[in-house]
Amino acid sequence: MIKALIPVVLVAIIVALYFFNPMEAVWMPKCGFKMLTGLDCPSCGALRAGHAFLHGRFTEAVNYNLFLVIGVPYLTAVFVATQVKGNSGSMVRRIFLGREAAWVYIVLFFTWWILRNCL
């Protein structure tokens, strides 16, 4: 039941991001970490980046959140890896869900978090 809702929720989010600019829509979620500390979290700007990307403004999207260039393809690969069955599925899972991949992602995540607040 829940697995069936995931595509519906994703499509709803994409449609909302296409039609509503997160900078203008007061009901869009705001970053609690930034409101408390004044610093950017790793996902700050993700909604604005998604909105810009959906409107074909790719450079603007990257400027809002560069980590999405790494994060979205990796998370998509993780999702696909969990859905694939059989021998090819185990190889895909080993590549994208293995300990090394997780550590690379974690290191990149925290490096991005630090660098975006220092630059």
Side-chain angles (χ1 to χ4, degrees):
M1 172 74 172
I2 292 178
K3 279 189 176 184
L5 288 177
I6 291 173
V8 173
V9 170
L10 289 175
V11 168
I13 291 170
I14 290 169
V15 168
L17 273 178
Y18 183 83
F19 287 107
F20 299 99
N21 186 341
M23 292 173 50
E24 297 169 359
V26 295
W27 55 269
M28 287 274 195
K30 308 297 182 238
C31 180
F33 183 80
K34 185 165 182 130
M35 289 189 321
L36 288 172
T37 66
L39 299 172
D40 289 332
C41 78
S43 64
C44 276
L47 292 177
R48 290 174 286 157
H51 180 75
F53 181 83
L54 290 171
H55 287 274
R57 300 187 310 261
F58 305 116
T59 305
E60 184 180 335
V62 168
N63 286 333
Y64 281 131
N65 192 318
L66 177 63
F67 194 69
L68 288 180
V69 173
I70 296 166
V72 170
Y74 176 72
L75 294 175
T76 302
V78 166
F79 176 76
V80 169
T82 60
Q83 304 303 310
V84 176
K85 307 285 187 221
N87 289 338
S88 61
S90 66
M91 181 182 72
V92 171
R93 282 190 293 282
R94 198 172 33 244
I95 292 169
F96 291 106
L97 300 175
R99 178 173 278 159
E100 294 84 8
W103 276 110
V104 167
Y105 186 82
I106 290 168
V107 167
L108 289 172
F109 179 87
F110 284 103
T111 301
W112 166 245
W113 194 349
I114 293 166
L115 287 178
R116 79 177 313 186
N117 285 296
C118 292
L119 301 176

